[in-house]
Amino acid sequence: MDNSPSGRTVVVTGGTRGVGAGIARAFAEAGAHVVACARRPPEQHLEGVEFTPLDLRDPPAVRAFFDALPRLDVLVNNAGGTPYRRLADADPERHARVIELNLVTPLTASLAAYEQLRRARGAVVMIGSVSGGRPSPGSAAYGAAKAGLESLARSMAVEWAPEVRVNTLVVGMVRTELAHLHYGGPEGVDAVSRTVPLGRLAAPSDVGAAAVFLASDAAAYISGASLLVHGGGERPPFLDAATAGEPSDKPSDKPSEDPSDKPSDKASDKED
């Protein structure tokens, strides 16, 4: 079984910067022929990655792009994003554009790519977000779109089986060139990193490696799945307020009947 994408053609939408560039680079390093499409070219050249300008919100242009490809084995629907915007601070049209970019355009691209993927018995990888599974104040439309994207992927996996596999990467916080805009500079990034169980934000290459895996023959029996790439998740807020297990400074209301009946030091607690 060939577990590498060597020799296969991979399209990465929004593959010119940030997470998308990390995904495109990971496939290129694995030997795939990678085409990154976005409205703007990459600011830095990506070795082994071909760039094609494309507005994914233009369905005829999207269909023409995929029809022109001589081969397609993998589609990574990565294009997306949102500014910070509270619901009541914008009109419905602005929120609708966020949903269009993050939910409708992956559907548009997938439909345009379907025949090519079916012939190649290929794979679709959706780039989802933890925002789709929890409240996302300030990015509610984005979170709703990402929740819908996971649902779309699961239905697509059933409808398009067995010729095309469809999975979702549910991505947590990632350290990109724009991370400082979200977390407030190096100190903010470091502070946020400490909230992640693995102690750091993801690198774009972490997401890229997971995408390569889901597209490979190593994942040949995985379809309709959501793979969490979030470093262990987010610490539940209630833990910062809870006092269970904390040493108490208050004397017990009931005197001990046995001198040995004392709470032991946490470092030496044992269970027999």
Side-chain angles (χ1 to χ4, degrees):
M1 180 180 291
D2 180 11
N3 291 335
S4 79
S6 179
R8 300 177 185 178
T9 297
V10 180
V11 167
V12 182
T13 69
T16 58
R17 65 179 184 177
V19 171
I23 294 170
R25 189 178 292 112
F27 275 102
E29 290 174 351
H33 170 222
V34 182
V35 180
C37 58
R39 287 187 298 164
R40 292 181 293 272
E43 295 179 359
Q44 296 182 344
H45 174 68
L46 299 175
E47 188 68 32
V49 178
E50 175 186 338
F51 170 72
T52 298
L54 180 64
D55 186 348
L56 290 159
R57 292 170 294 189
D58 182 350
V62 173
R63 287 191 291 269
F65 165 74
F66 283 103
D67 287 346
L69 293 175
R71 177 188 176 102
L72 179 63
D73 299 277
V74 179
L75 169 62
V76 182
N77 282 309
N78 165 78
T82 183
Y84 180 86
R85 181 182 292 138
R86 289 189 174 273
L87 284 170
D89 292 341
D91 55 39
E93 290 82 2
R94 286 184 178 271
H95 296 304
R97 284 197 287 272
V98 171
I99 294 173
E100 179 187 22
L101 176 61
N102 292 280
L103 177 57
V104 178
T105 63
L107 174 59
T108 300
S110 298
L111 289 171
Y114 171 66
E115 285 299 332
Q116 292 261 43
L117 292 169
R118 184 183 63 80
R119 288 195 294 270
R121 299 186 73 85
V124 176
V125 180
M126 304 289 197
I127 304 303
S129 169
V130 294
S131 294
R134 57 153 169 76
S136 299
S139 58
Y142 174 81
K146 290 300 188 180
L149 188 66
E150 277 194 76
S151 178
L152 173 65
R154 288 192 293 268
S155 296
M156 193 179 288
V158 174
E159 288 196 17
W160 291 2
E163 291 87 2
V164 181
R165 294 187 302 108
V166 185
N167 292 291
T168 304
L169 290 182
V170 182
V171 180
M173 296 179 289
V174 184
R175 188 166 192 162
T176 69
E177 60 268 31
L178 299 178
H180 64 283
L181 298 178
H182 297 276
Y183 309 123
E187 291 184 359
V189 171
D190 290 343
V192 172
S193 297
R194 289 193 291 271
T195 71
V196 180
L198 287 187
R200 65 177 179 86
L201 304 188
S205 59
D206 294 317
V207 184
V212 169
F213 163 70
L214 281 182
S216 75
D217 290 340
Y221 200 65
I222 300 175
S223 193
S226 295
L227 177 61
L228 294 167
V229 185
H230 61 7
E234 300 175 8
R235 178 180 172 84
F238 78 85
L239 291 177
D240 295 324
T243 59
E246 294 292 328
S248 175
D249 294 331
K250 297 180 180 179
S252 172
D253 292 334
K254 180 180 178 181
S256 173
E257 296 178 0
D258 184 337
S260 66
D261 183 21
K262 299 178 181 178
S264 62
D265 186 88
K266 282 187 176 181
S268 60
D269 278 351
K270 293 182 180 179
E271 285 189 1
D272 293 329

